Amino acid sequence: MQDIQNASRNDRLARLIAFYLPQFHPIPENDLWWGKGFTEWTNVAKAKPMFPGHYQPHVPADLGFYDLRVPETRVAQAEMARKYGVEAFCYYHYWFGGRRILERPFNEVLRSGEPDFPFCLCWANQTWTGVWHGCSDRVLIEQTYPGIADHQAHFYSLLPAFTDRRYLTLDGKPVFLLYNPKEIPDLERVADYWREMALKEGLKGLHLVGVSKDPAFPQRHNLDASVSPNLPSIEDTWYSWRQPIKKLKLFYRNAKSRPAIFKYGDVVLDFIHEVEPGIKNYPCLVPNWDNSPRSGKNGLVLEGSTPELFRIQAKKALQVTDGTPLEHRLIFIKAWNEWAEGNYLEPDLKLGTSYLDVVKDEFCDEESSGQAASGPEVDGRSEESDVLAA
């Protein structure tokens, strides 16, 4: 497993892992719930601007409106990711008490051996509802935790991936993410059980990472590390009458049925947590976000995202990981291809490869990135202040 990962790193300054959504192919369940042929592209293509200056729809460029059942598409994605310095994809993986869904793209990657590109898995353990389509009370698939026998079956379903030579490891241990660790009953025991099963099957263990807004929670509950995509909460848009202008703007937004809007430049540095002693928290870059194609007026828009502002975030991630050995210098990117959430690195018609160019510049160009990592402190108030002010 180490050979392919070492070869893919070359002289990179960090190990970049991009979350990868396997939603882009029709499945019987989505046909039943949302209509024949529904995929993530359905929401992307029908999106419309909801306020002046709102960038919608987002149209893919180089890779087009692809179908992930097509192996050539998966190879093209991997080649693009490798070219711009991404080490691995982190595929979202779904397990509902033994029921799988959206599993075909990754299963074909595993079975075929192509693309020859590192990967890991993130168990997206959450109940599916109709909240994206204004039907929050409609439960599509409930996430359940039947007990230890189910965890055993889940582990063995994952074992062929864990033992694949492409699987991402840290200190020889497969990296596995839990999207909602707080929801897993008796998490500490489950983590120990999976590690024991890994050792029993000849692995060196597992490196378990919890996705959590609280960077400390996963390690307090027997996981090895955390990653925190620190998106602002829609609840953050509540204001008291002590802030009358903001309060009136909120009333106006609600009256106009607009999504919650934050200026990307105001929150760009909030995505990267400062180092906390004893807490292993992997930075998570968020280049852009606008899930109004899914959620409409209930959505969240980070307005004004630009590659220049994203570059500030990349520099901050390098700063907070400065001094960490490369093997442990994991930096996640949310996401490679979450198009209906306006959250992607893949090229679009507006900006092309601009976000990927930032990734390559900051994490692959040793000269310029080295200055970013060891140069002036990145706090959004020094050399970046002009970009933020703009």
Side-chain angles (χ1 to χ4, degrees):
M1 283 188 271
Q2 288 296 319
D3 290 344
I4 185 174
Q5 292 169 42
N6 290 336
S8 70
R9 285 181 221 161
N10 298 321
D11 296 324
R12 295 173 191 168
L13 297 177
R15 305 181 66 186
L16 300 181
I17 304 157
F19 286 100
Y20 182 106
L21 184 68
Q23 171 55 289
F24 300 92
H25 64 104
I27 57 174
E29 291 89 345
N30 276 336
D31 285 350
L32 177 64
W33 297 328
W34 311 118
K36 187 71 173 175
F38 177 92
T39 73
E40 192 82 341
W41 294 126
T42 307
N43 289 327
V44 173
K46 72 182 183 182
K48 293 180 173 58
M50 299 185 69
F51 53 87
H54 188 198
Y55 167 37
Q56 285 294 349
H58 293 216
V59 180
D62 302 41
L63 299 173
F65 289 94
Y66 51 73
D67 185 327
L68 289 181
R69 296 172 298 183
V70 178
E72 290 84 356
T73 290
R74 303 191 298 262
V75 170
Q77 288 176 312
E79 289 176 348
M80 180 179 287
R82 180 183 285 114
K83 175 182 176 181
Y84 287 94
V86 176
E87 179 175 334
F89 287 146
C90 181
Y91 292 90
Y92 287 118
H93 150 83
Y94 307 92
W95 175 273
F96 297 93
R99 179 180 178 182
R100 299 291 310 279
I101 194 168
L102 296 174
E103 74 279 11
R104 177 172 172 176
F106 179 72
N107 281 354
E108 293 186 358
V109 167
L110 194 61
R111 182 170 57 251
S112 69
E114 293 292 336
D116 192 10
F117 185 73
F119 56 77
C120 63
L121 293 171
C122 174
W123 180 20
N125 59 312
Q126 57 186 353
T127 293
W128 286 20
T129 70
V131 66
W132 295 338
H133 303 269
C135 309
S136 57
D137 296 332
R138 182 182 178 189
V139 175
L140 306 177
I141 309 178
E142 184 179 4
Q143 183 68 66
T144 60
Y145 306 92
I148 204 68
D150 182 65
H151 291 306
Q152 181 185 63
H154 190 185
F155 173 85
Y156 278 110
S157 77
L158 295 166
L159 188 58
F162 290 159
T163 54
D164 189 285
R165 73 181 187 87
R166 295 166 292 172
Y167 201 93
L168 184 82
T169 63
L170 192 152
D171 294 331
K173 301 175 182 179
V175 176
F176 184 59
L177 279 71
L178 308 173
Y179 195 79
N180 282 310
K182 289 184 178 181
E183 298 298 316
I184 300 174
D186 204 1
L187 176 60
E188 295 89 341
R189 181 184 174 209
V190 172
D192 277 339
Y193 181 71
W194 275 351
R195 292 189 184 104
E196 291 168 6
M197 296 293 290
L199 293 171
K200 177 184 174 183
E201 295 301 326
L203 299 172
K204 293 184 179 181
L206 292 175
H207 186 74
L208 299 174
V209 181
V211 181
S212 174
K213 274 208 163 188
D214 176 4
F217 176 87
Q219 281 181 266
R220 288 200 209 105
H221 292 81
N222 198 26
L223 303 185
D224 297 293
S226 62
V227 61
S228 306
N230 198 29
L231 286 163
S233 170
I234 291 178
E235 286 73 28
D236 293 340
T237 57
W238 182 89
Y239 300 108
S240 74
W241 281 112
R242 294 179 181 178
Q243 299 170 290
I245 295 176
K246 291 183 177 180
K247 187 75 169 179
L248 289 170
K249 284 183 177 179
L250 178 60
F251 277 134
Y252 180 78
R253 174 178 71 80
N254 290 338
K256 292 290 185 178
S257 295
R258 292 180 176 178
I261 304 168
F262 290 81
K263 294 289 187 182
Y264 185 85
D266 291 343
V267 299
V268 64
L269 292 176
D270 295 342
F271 295 116
I272 309 298
H273 289 273
E274 296 295 339
V275 176
E276 295 184 41
I279 301 300
K280 181 175 284 190
N281 177 251
Y282 300 124
C284 186
L285 307 180
V286 181
N288 37 38
W289 185 272
D290 179 356
N291 66 348
S292 61
R294 280 182 169 183
S295 301
K297 67 180 181 180
N298 298 315
L300 170 68
V301 178
L302 299 186
E303 188 183 21
S305 167
T306 66
E308 290 75 20
L309 289 169
F310 178 54
R311 188 182 300 276
I312 295 173
Q313 194 182 139
K315 290 178 182 292
K316 181 68 178 292
L318 282 171
Q319 184 194 70
V320 300
T321 57
D322 190 25
T324 303
L326 179 59
E327 171 75 9
H328 290 256
R329 203 177 196 189
L330 273 57
I331 296 178
F332 287 82
I333 304 176
K334 181 174 171 61
W336 178 259
N337 65 337
E338 295 189 19
W339 281 87
E341 294 186 334
N343 176 222
Y344 53 86
L345 286 176
E346 290 179 335
D348 68 9
L349 290 184
K350 181 179 181 181
L351 291 169
T353 62
S354 295
Y355 287 98
L356 285 168
D357 291 335
V358 170
V359 170
K360 187 174 184 179
D361 289 348
E362 297 301 327
F363 297 101
C364 297
D365 183 334
E366 187 170 355
E367 182 177 347
S368 65
S369 295
Q371 293 171 356
S374 58
E377 188 169 323
V378 178
D379 63 359
R381 307 295 186 271
S382 55
E383 62 187 54
E384 290 78 19
S385 58
D386 291 341
V387 178
L388 285 170

